[in-house]
Amino acid sequence: MRFSLSPKDTSFYDLFSDQSQHLVKGSALLTQVLGADTSAREDLARQMKDAEHAADESTHEIMRKVNSSFITPFDREDIYSLASNLDDCMDHMESAVDRIVLYQIGQLPAGVASQVEVLVRMSELTAEAMPRLRSMKDLAEYWIEINRLENQGDQVYRRLLAELFDGDLKATAILKLKDVVEGLEHAIDAFETVAHTVESIAVKES
Amino acid sequence: MRFSLSPKDTSFYDLFSDQSQHLVKGSALLTQVLGADTSAREDLARQMKDAEHAADESTHEIMRKVNSSFITPFDREDIYSLASNLDDCMDHMESAVDRIVLYQIGQLPAGVASQVEVLVRMSELTAEAMPRLRSMKDLAEYWIEINRLENQGDQVYRRLLAELFDGDLKATAILKLKDVVEGLEHAIDAFETVAHTVESIAVKES
Amino acid sequence: MRFSLSPKDTSFYDLFSDQSQHLVKGSALLTQVLGADTSAREDLARQMKDAEHAADESTHEIMRKVNSSFITPFDREDIYSLASNLDDCMDHMESAVDRIVLYQIGQLPAGVASQVEVLVRMSELTAEAMPRLRSMKDLAEYWIEINRLENQGDQVYRRLLAELFDGDLKATAILKLKDVVEGLEHAIDAFETVAHTVESIAVKES
């Protein structure tokens, strides 16, 4: 059984919700990058960098709050892990966009759009789940769906690599695309890590 | 000092033993894949997929049990970590088999057989160690031997990459084999993570 | 509030300081490797292997001490994590040196020297921070600077890959250098993981 929380502690939930909103923004920018031309991509990469800085700010705010709070709604180290894990999702998405621009990649294979769709859905689900940390209710459906999406992303990723290896691109073009595709796969895995942390918090607090 | 456990709690040990038996099965299938031809490999990949689903089922059973148990033999989050880590071993082995089939790889280099031998030994040692969680006795020899095997696997892995890079395969063939070889290295690392988790549990409970 | 510690427990701080000194040694050897010719590199790789064994010994000493101590200065599992994370830094640096020798790489790109400078600075900062675990004071400046260096290392890493992909090296030469560069990036990430663990310990103990 958990005690009802004072208003002060409550705002950890708001901070996690804020942090997850940056992920929704990040995955939306990723979607735009796919359809954009080179110069538009540079502008989107700058917006992505800004979104990543904003997410960093949210993360640090949570860390400062953990340090200065006498009572926390769940274990300090779990708050810390969850904030770090959410931050990792953003870092991997930003990194993928940066590489697309840096390597001057043109048209991306169709499978990349499927990866990004998985990321959009994962970020929405994560943003919807964060406020439910307050009651610790209805979280199982969130992590089950994230696990399902991660599996789907994994299938897409394997097939994308097979396509790249058997296509007629030259080796350096394959390496560039592989780097982007792996970056997106890491982002997908990072969302699954967030879900694992949420599951592990729920297991402890139940 | 730890309290003697009721029969209900005891069965966590049985569940971890079950989960580790799937890894023994998985590493045996991996061994068969090496010597098989293309069509036999597709059948083995299906069996591997089934073994992975069975391992998933064991993992979820442990998670459900953690959620519904009032008393657990050791910390809830450690049970959770151990179950997840064991699951990762299976995922990486299944992924390696899937890639061998997906990339239509023919003959695999000799070093791959050495990697698979390490995995077979690791899965046997892990399956033998799981029942010993009950007494927390004689576990050090398990994690020391796993660490030794991981080192050995690492040497094999580095030499395999050097061979691939200096051979006369074309770039895409190298990339395909590198992906399989890395997948097996990740599986080896995942077994070491299991051993680390067991060591960390033993450190806490001692 | 934390209790004052008995002399016996105090020595955990000395052990962590010892362990971090091996990292200073390792990053200095890495610097020497960059400027050395092939035969000198083989000798340096042997020294690196020795340094890694010495670091392993320090790690095991900490683990044994955790196992045999009734009271520890902070949570057993955190001591365990910190020792493992420090060990990972050494493993990745050693692995990078081994690969440079194994792949018989000649001149390394300039960006690699920038990566190694980051590692030298990170190892110095880590060695300076370890004794401050005793008071838990002035640690924030350490992890903030490590995070900044990790970001800097990440920029260098991305630009290095872009250069490799757009240069006129043949595919296998690119793959070899990519493997070394990734190894150094993993070492940089491992130092950041150490800083995260220190931050998470400080958060709990504050």
Side-chain angles (χ1 to χ4, degrees):
Chain A
M1 262 312 87
R2 308 174 59 253
F3 298 93
S4 99
L5 301 159
S6 74
K8 184 146 199 297
D9 301 313
T10 308
S11 71
F12 272 109
Y13 307 112
D14 297 329
L15 290 171
F16 282 125
S17 292
D18 286 356
Q19 216 189 356
S20 62
Q21 287 304 329
H22 296 301
L23 300 177
V24 173
K25 166 94 182 178
S27 63
L29 285 168
L30 248 178
T31 308
Q32 286 181 265
V33 164
L34 300 187
D37 62 22
T38 311
S39 73
R41 278 181 182 172
E42 285 185 13
D43 181 54
L44 290 164
R46 270 187 293 273
Q47 292 182 48
M48 192 76 184
K49 186 61 95 180
D50 291 343
E52 193 226 334
H53 284 313
D56 269 350
E57 224 4 90
S58 290
T59 311
H60 290 144
E61 203 176 330
I62 295 175
M63 300 309 188
R64 276 194 300 272
K65 197 174 164 56
V66 172
N67 277 307
S68 63
S69 298
F70 189 65
I71 300 172
T72 55
F74 37 90
D75 278 358
R76 276 162 207 282
E77 61 257 58
D78 289 329
I79 293 177
Y80 182 88
S81 293
L82 185 53
S84 297
N85 296 160
L86 286 164
D87 201 45
D88 287 344
C89 298
M90 195 68 190
D91 286 352
H92 287 296
M93 291 197 293
E94 186 279 326
S95 164
V97 169
D98 193 38
R99 277 149 204 246
I100 290 170
V101 171
L102 192 62
Y103 301 159
Q104 304 182 45
I105 290 174
Q107 182 69 31
L108 287 151
V112 171
S114 306
Q115 288 186 296
V116 172
E117 279 165 31
V118 166
L119 286 167
V120 167
R121 191 70 198 112
M122 282 178 147
S123 60
E124 290 168 352
L125 285 167
T126 304
E128 287 161 23
M130 288 302 111
R132 300 207 297 272
L133 285 171
R134 192 188 297 260
S135 62
M136 289 284 165
K137 290 222 173 84
D138 306 319
L139 285 166
E141 61 197 59
Y142 147 71
W143 68 64
I144 289 168
E145 181 62 8
I146 292 285
N147 287 341
R148 196 192 63 75
L149 285 165
E150 191 277 332
N151 265 316
Q152 183 184 320
D154 203 43
Q155 295 307 316
V156 171
Y157 169 63
R158 293 181 192 182
R159 264 110 210 111
L160 248 169
L161 288 187
E163 262 175 55
L164 281 182
F165 296 155
D166 284 327
D168 46 14
L169 294 171
K170 64 178 212 164
T172 50
I174 295 174
L175 286 172
K176 288 178 181 183
L177 283 171
K178 181 167 180 280
D179 213 38
V180 170
V181 163
E182 279 175 350
L184 295 172
E185 170 69 4
H186 288 152
I188 289 172
D189 286 344
F191 275 99
E192 196 191 27
T193 301
V194 169
H196 281 172
T197 299
V198 169
E199 184 174 2
S200 136
I201 291 170
V203 164
K204 281 209 279 187
E205 303 288 329
S206 65
Chain B
M1 263 309 88
R2 307 173 58 252
F3 298 94
S4 98
L5 301 160
S6 72
K8 184 147 198 297
D9 301 314
T10 308
S11 71
F12 272 109
Y13 307 112
D14 297 330
L15 290 172
F16 282 125
S17 292
D18 286 356
Q19 216 189 357
S20 62
Q21 287 304 330
H22 296 302
L23 300 177
V24 173
K25 166 96 183 175
S27 64
L29 285 168
L30 248 177
T31 309
Q32 286 181 264
V33 165
L34 299 187
D37 61 22
T38 311
S39 73
R41 278 180 182 172
E42 285 185 12
D43 181 53
L44 290 164
R46 271 186 293 272
Q47 291 181 48
M48 192 75 183
K49 185 61 94 180
D50 291 343
E52 194 226 334
H53 284 314
D56 269 350
E57 223 5 89
S58 291
T59 310
H60 291 143
E61 203 177 331
I62 294 175
M63 300 309 188
R64 275 193 300 271
K65 197 173 163 56
V66 172
N67 278 309
S68 62
S69 298
F70 188 65
I71 299 173
T72 54
F74 37 89
D75 278 358
R76 276 162 207 280
E77 61 258 57
D78 288 329
I79 294 177
Y80 182 88
S81 293
L82 185 53
S84 297
N85 296 160
L86 286 164
D87 201 46
D88 287 345
C89 298
M90 196 69 190
D91 286 353
H92 287 297
M93 291 197 292
E94 187 278 326
S95 162
V97 169
D98 193 39
R99 278 150 204 244
I100 291 169
V101 171
L102 192 62
Y103 301 160
Q104 304 182 45
I105 290 174
Q107 183 69 32
L108 288 151
V112 171
S114 306
Q115 288 185 297
V116 171
E117 279 164 30
V118 166
L119 285 167
V120 167
R121 192 70 198 112
M122 281 179 146
S123 60
E124 289 167 354
L125 285 167
T126 304
E128 286 161 24
M130 289 302 111
R132 300 207 296 272
L133 285 171
R134 193 189 297 260
S135 63
M136 290 282 166
K137 290 223 172 82
D138 307 319
L139 285 166
E141 59 197 58
Y142 147 72
W143 68 63
I144 290 168
E145 181 61 8
I146 293 284
N147 287 339
R148 197 193 62 76
L149 285 165
E150 190 277 334
N151 266 315
Q152 183 184 319
D154 202 44
Q155 295 306 314
V156 170
Y157 169 63
R158 293 181 192 182
R159 264 111 207 108
L160 249 169
L161 288 187
E163 262 174 57
L164 281 182
F165 296 155
D166 283 327
D168 46 13
L169 293 171
K170 62 178 214 167
T172 50
I174 295 174
L175 286 172
K176 287 178 182 184
L177 283 170
K178 184 168 178 280
D179 212 38
V180 170
V181 162
E182 279 175 350
L184 295 172
E185 169 70 2
H186 288 152
I188 289 173
D189 287 345
F191 275 100
E192 197 191 27
T193 301
V194 169
H196 280 172
T197 299
V198 169
E199 185 175 1
S200 136
I201 292 170
V203 163
K204 281 210 279 186
E205 303 289 329
S206 65
Chain C
M1 263 310 87
R2 307 173 60 251
F3 298 94
S4 99
L5 301 160
S6 74
K8 185 146 197 297
D9 302 314
T10 307
S11 71
F12 272 110
Y13 307 113
D14 298 329
L15 290 172
F16 282 125
S17 291
D18 286 356
Q19 215 188 359
S20 62
Q21 287 303 330
H22 297 300
L23 300 178
V24 173
K25 166 94 183 176
S27 63
L29 285 168
L30 247 178
T31 308
Q32 286 181 264
V33 165
L34 299 187
D37 62 21
T38 312
S39 72
R41 278 180 182 172
E42 285 184 11
D43 181 53
L44 290 164
R46 271 186 294 272
Q47 291 182 49
M48 192 77 185
K49 185 63 93 182
D50 291 342
E52 193 225 335
H53 285 313
D56 269 350
E57 226 2 271
S58 291
T59 311
H60 292 143
E61 204 177 329
I62 295 175
M63 301 308 190
R64 277 193 300 271
K65 197 172 163 57
V66 171
N67 277 308
S68 63
S69 298
F70 188 66
I71 300 173
T72 55
F74 35 89
D75 279 358
R76 277 162 206 281
E77 62 256 59
D78 288 329
I79 293 177
Y80 182 89
S81 293
L82 184 53
S84 298
N85 296 160
L86 285 164
D87 201 47
D88 288 343
C89 298
M90 196 70 190
D91 286 353
H92 287 297
M93 291 196 293
E94 188 278 326
S95 162
V97 169
D98 193 39
R99 277 150 203 244
I100 290 170
V101 171
L102 192 63
Y103 301 159
Q104 303 181 45
I105 290 174
Q107 182 70 32
L108 287 151
V112 171
S114 305
Q115 287 186 297
V116 172
E117 279 164 32
V118 166
L119 285 167
V120 167
R121 193 68 199 114
M122 280 178 148
S123 60
E124 289 167 353
L125 285 167
T126 304
E128 287 162 23
M130 289 300 111
R132 300 208 296 272
L133 285 171
R134 193 188 296 261
S135 63
M136 290 282 166
K137 290 221 171 85
D138 307 319
L139 286 167
E141 60 197 60
Y142 148 72
W143 69 64
I144 289 168
E145 181 61 8
I146 292 285
N147 287 340
R148 196 193 62 76
L149 285 165
E150 191 276 334
N151 265 316
Q152 184 184 320
D154 201 45
Q155 295 306 314
V156 170
Y157 170 63
R158 293 182 192 182
R159 263 112 209 109
L160 250 168
L161 288 186
E163 262 174 57
L164 282 181
F165 296 155
D166 283 327
D168 45 14
L169 294 171
K170 62 177 213 166
T172 51
I174 296 175
L175 286 172
K176 287 177 182 185
L177 283 170
K178 182 169 179 278
D179 212 38
V180 171
V181 163
E182 279 175 351
L184 295 172
E185 169 70 2
H186 289 151
I188 289 172
D189 287 345
F191 275 99
E192 196 191 27
T193 301
V194 169
H196 280 172
T197 300
V198 169
E199 185 175 1
S200 137
I201 291 170
V203 164
K204 280 210 279 187
E205 303 289 329
S206 64

